[in-house]
Amino acid sequence: MDVLEAIKGRRSIRRFTGQEVTGGQLAQILEAVRWAPSWGNSQCWEVIVVRDRQTRQQLHDALSPKNPAGPAVMAAPVVLVLGAAMQKSGHYKGERLTRFTEWFMYDLGLATQNLCLAAHRLGLGTVIAGAFDHDRVREILAVPAGYEVVTLIPLGYPDHEPAAPKRKEAAAFTHYERFPG
Ligand SMILES: Cc1cc2nc3c(=O)[nH]c(=O)nc-3n(C[C@H](O)[C@H](O)[C@H](O)COP(=O)(O)O)c2cc1C
């Protein structure tokens, strides 16, 4: 699959058939995460693979009932929980190197796009869910201090083909030589 074709064809999938995701497929997806770029190659990401139905039910309950990704947490056979070690990305010897504290979010974003595109290439769907009770999910998964949980990503075979939400034209966010230009 061509890269641009994959980028444009990937959609947020919120309905799944329930067909299992194999260990081999999961390994390919994790390999794509592995090769994501990161600050100083710090690779701060952590991925928790959740298949257990009871745990998925608890994760589901940590999302607001209004979150459109909620049902996907139960419908997909796997939920990948993405988190990160703190004070690695954008840090050196415990000191932050720029005005931003959130470089782990940047690295996780890159890893997440790799993950979603690799899944799409395998005919699998994903939806990134970021709106949930993060403290509750830390509790459910027994995440220790020094790590944050950032997104839940249900993964499975798509049961629908959603239309692409509209995008701005590139001219609306591209500036030459000066901002805003
Ligand atoms: C960081 C992040 C958090 C998101 N959180 C949610 C969420 O909590 N619930 C949801 O249904 N979709 C969530 N989404 C999916 C976006 O709504 C979706 O990517 C966007 O509408 C564009 O649609 P597309 O992915 O099909 O291109 C999130 C996406 C990102 C990148």
Side-chain angles (χ1 to χ4, degrees):
M1 189 183 272
D2 170 72
V3 174
L4 196 57
E5 184 193 334
I7 289 170
K8 291 175 88 166
R10 179 215 54 82
R11 287 278 70 72
S12 290
I13 298 298
R14 297 181 177 85
R15 298 208 305 266
F16 295 89
T17 65
Q19 186 183 337
E20 273 306 329
V21 173
T22 67
Q25 288 171 321
L26 197 53
Q28 289 187 58
I29 289 166
L30 295 172
E31 186 68 7
V33 169
R34 191 176 157 232
W35 285 99
S38 60
W39 180 293
N41 202 25
S42 52
Q43 305 168 63
C44 66
W45 44 73
E46 302 286 341
V47 182
I48 308 167
V49 180
V50 180
R51 290 186 189 266
D52 181 75
R53 194 172 170 80
Q54 264 186 325
T55 311
R56 282 191 289 119
Q57 182 67 57
Q58 289 179 308
L59 295 177
H60 167 272
D61 296 347
L63 272 72
S64 142
K66 288 192 189 137
N67 192 323
V73 175
M74 291 314 293
V78 181
V79 176
L80 300 176
V81 183
L82 263 73
M86 296 297 95
Q87 307 220 330
K88 265 183 115 172
S89 183
H91 286 72
Y92 183 70
K93 293 189 176 169
E95 296 282 310
R96 68 181 162 102
L97 297 173
T98 73
R99 65 181 287 173
F100 304 118
T101 47
E102 293 86 1
W103 287 106
F104 75 90
M105 296 292 263
Y106 201 97
D107 292 351
L108 272 189
L110 292 163
T112 299
Q113 177 74 334
N114 276 16
L115 183 161
C116 294
L117 292 178
H120 178 58
R121 175 180 160 270
L122 295 171
L124 295 167
T126 52
V127 59
I128 303 160
F132 57 87
D133 181 341
H134 287 80
D135 289 331
R136 178 68 192 124
V137 169
R138 289 176 58 94
E139 256 172 40
I140 295 165
L141 301 173
V143 173
Y147 295 86
E148 291 290 345
V149 156
V150 178
T151 51
L152 306 181
I153 308 185
L155 167 74
Y157 282 91
D159 200 19
H160 66 150
E161 275 185 41
K166 279 216 167 84
R167 273 11 190 212
K168 293 181 196 173
E169 294 299 329
F173 57 77
T174 310
H175 311 277
Y176 294 94
E177 317 300 345
R178 293 269 191 287
F179 180 81

